Amino acid sequence: RVIAIDALASRKMERVNSTIQISTAGISPGGGVGNKRKALNKDYLGVDVIAIGVPTVVDAATLTSDVLDLAIDNLISQSNEGENFYNMLKQLKEDEKYHLIKESLDPYDKNLIVTPKDIDETIENLSIIISEGLNRSLHPGRITN
């Protein structure tokens, strides 16, 4: 059995550094940022794979989409002028809005990958949480500090 741990790209800013995902489907390193590599899964490795992933980054289009949602909500609550326009923007489906923003950024080749500024401290804390969880599940009789 293989336990693979990787950073993930999130499609929502609120998920960054706030969840730990566990799956038996394996993991595709670099898949979330367009840097595809061989998947680490049972088909490729021939053994069961437990994947542990933590969303630590978002792309610029995701960040822009989330900020736009907040700005639209703020504009709707503050003003009656332009309400129809703001509501029209609000009704765009998530995928439509994301692809519109991504297409707008593509000509400038600016679809950057963004991570919070406290990422080093967060990764240190998450590594302790994940390692303690693994130690307790793999060695249930052993007490750790």
Side-chain angles (χ1 to χ4, degrees):
R1 182 170 289 161
V2 170
I3 299 173
I5 303 171
D6 198 8
L8 304 174
S10 177
R11 286 293 300 269
K12 279 289 189 193
M13 226 10 245
E14 65 195 23
R15 292 187 195 126
V16 171
N17 297 337
S18 66
T19 60
I20 298 173
Q21 300 174 359
I22 302 172
S23 167
T24 57
I27 210 158
S28 297
V33 294
N35 189 6
K36 304 241 182 216
R37 295 206 163 73
K38 290 262 187 210
L40 301 176
N41 57 31
K42 187 172 184 167
D43 289 341
Y44 182 65
L45 297 175
V47 296
D48 290 333
V49 176
I50 298 171
I52 301 172
V54 179
T56 56
V57 299
V58 295
D59 65 359
T62 295
L63 178 61
T64 304
S65 179
D66 287 355
V67 169
L68 184 59
D69 284 342
L70 293 172
I72 290 168
D73 288 343
N74 193 18
L75 290 168
I76 288 172
S77 70
Q78 289 185 7
S79 169
N80 287 336
E81 293 181 35
E83 188 174 342
N84 289 337
F85 175 71
Y86 300 140
N87 283 324
M88 179 195 70
L89 289 176
K90 186 85 176 154
Q91 294 189 17
L92 279 174
K93 292 180 183 169
E94 280 297 314
D95 269 358
E96 291 173 338
K97 186 172 32 159
Y98 174 81
H99 289 293
L100 176 67
I101 293 168
K102 191 168 179 354
E103 286 174 15
S104 298
L105 291 170
D106 278 346
Y108 304 104
D109 197 27
K110 299 295 183 204
N111 199 15
L112 307 172
I113 303 300
V114 182
T115 193
K117 65 182 178 179
D118 64 345
I119 192 64
D120 292 334
E121 180 182 342
T122 301
I123 293 298
E124 188 174 327
N125 291 334
L126 285 165
S127 69
I128 292 167
I129 292 167
I130 292 169
S131 66
E132 282 295 316
L134 287 171
N135 282 332
R136 290 177 188 216
S137 65
L138 297 172
H139 310 287
R142 189 171 146 239
I143 305 291
T144 58
N145 294 342

